[in-house]
Amino acid sequence: MAGWLFVDAPLEEGEELLFRRVCTLRRGRRTVGGEVSVTDRRLVFVPNRLEQLVGVKASAFPRASVDHVTVVPPPPGSERFAALPRTPRARAEVEVDGDLLVLQLEDAAALAGVLGH
């Protein structure tokens, strides 16, 4: 998607890509940069190449295991605190088999729509 830094999610035989965006995934106190993809079968997070160098692995979940998606808009006025001018990003909180994935991306509502929530 964005040159040498990002790695596209590997697709299985006959799998169709429906959505792909650059995002960050919050894991505890750590934020991991990468790319989220949704196919007709799976939700996939692939860390960028720099994150892979420090041992972060890709995560894949069957779409049937996605329980709920909540879109949390950015706080009002958050653009004032950005180091570089950019669009504030919303969060998509995705519940998968009792676990919570917190993904920050530009179009979190589109991700929720593709996941059907």
Side-chain angles (χ1 to χ4, degrees):
M1 177 174 232
W4 66 270
L5 185 58
F6 295 96
V7 180
D8 291 339
L11 298 179
E12 297 173 349
E13 181 76 28
E15 194 171 26
E16 180 183 350
L17 181 66
L18 304 174
F19 180 89
R20 178 173 50 212
R21 297 290 186 281
V22 172
C23 71
T24 56
L25 170 66
R26 195 167 60 209
R27 288 185 170 168
R29 293 184 172 178
R30 187 162 193 277
T31 300
V32 178
E35 190 175 85
V36 63
S37 298
V38 178
T39 71
D40 55 340
R41 300 177 198 164
R42 302 178 296 150
L43 169 67
V44 183
F45 175 78
V46 179
N48 65 41
R49 291 184 196 272
L50 297 175
E51 299 288 0
Q52 290 178 17
L53 288 173
V54 295
V56 180
K57 304 288 184 204
S59 305
F61 308 93
R63 285 191 56 187
S65 67
V66 175
D67 299 323
H68 186 71
V69 181
T70 303
V71 176
V72 179
S78 61
E79 66 277 357
R80 294 180 301 157
F81 301 107
L84 299 172
R86 63 177 177 86
T87 305
R89 300 167 97 191
R91 287 192 327 256
E93 297 177 349
V94 182
E95 294 178 36
V96 182
D97 287 336
D99 196 13
L100 183 66
L101 303 175
V102 179
L103 299 162
Q104 190 171 14
L105 64 160
E106 286 182 18
D107 46 3
L111 173 64
V114 169
L115 289 171
H117 293 279

